[in-house]
Amino acid sequence: MASVFEVLPYDGGWCVKIADTGEVLFFSARRRAIAEAEALARAWPCAATVRVRPRRATVVEAWTPAASDFAYPLGVPA
């Protein structure tokens, strides 16, 4: 089962909601929130997907890291 990182708008900017842990990270810029969500997805120990919800639309962007996107091979100490 894949983990989900959702990038959502809120009154003061953007937030990243981590579905597995329930944590919410807040950012003032959309681009920064997406970058952090993608970085978390790359570092997550299991499969992960980033979903970006725009402010005024129902379309959802989705991004899933490829195996080559990981900073180091799984199972190798960092």
Side-chain angles (χ1 to χ4, degrees), residues 1-2 6 8-9 12-13 16 23 28 33 40 44 47-48 54 57 66-67:
M1 183 172 197
E6 285 190 287
L8 306 162
V16 175
E23 293 177 83
S28 59
L40 286 168
W44 209 250

Side-chain angles (χ1 to χ4, degrees), residues 42 65-71:
R42 271 189 225 101
S68 61
D69 287 343
F70 289 99

Side-chain angles (χ1 to χ4, degrees), residues 8-15 24 26-29 55-56:
L8 306 162
Y10 76 100
D11 289 341
W14 291 83
C15 66
V24 180
F26 296 96
F27 302 92
S28 59
R55 282 206 187 274
R56 294 185 183 97

Side-chain angles (χ1 to χ4, degrees), residues 5-77:
F5 296 87
E6 285 190 287
V7 179
L8 306 162
Y10 76 100
D11 289 341
W14 291 83
C15 66
V16 175
K17 184 187 288 186
I18 304 169
D20 285 358
T21 62
E23 293 177 83
V24 180
L25 308 172
F26 296 96
F27 302 92
S28 59
R30 178 180 186 263
R31 188 176 290 181
R32 177 72 175 151
I34 293 171
E36 285 295 322
E38 289 177 352
L40 286 168
R42 271 189 225 101
W44 209 250
C46 60
T49 300
V50 176
R51 293 185 186 155
V52 181
R53 301 205 183 263
R55 282 206 187 274
R56 294 185 183 97
T58 57
V59 177
V60 177
E61 299 172 36
W63 176 84
T64 304
S68 61
D69 287 343
F70 289 99
Y72 53 90
L74 296 177
V76 177

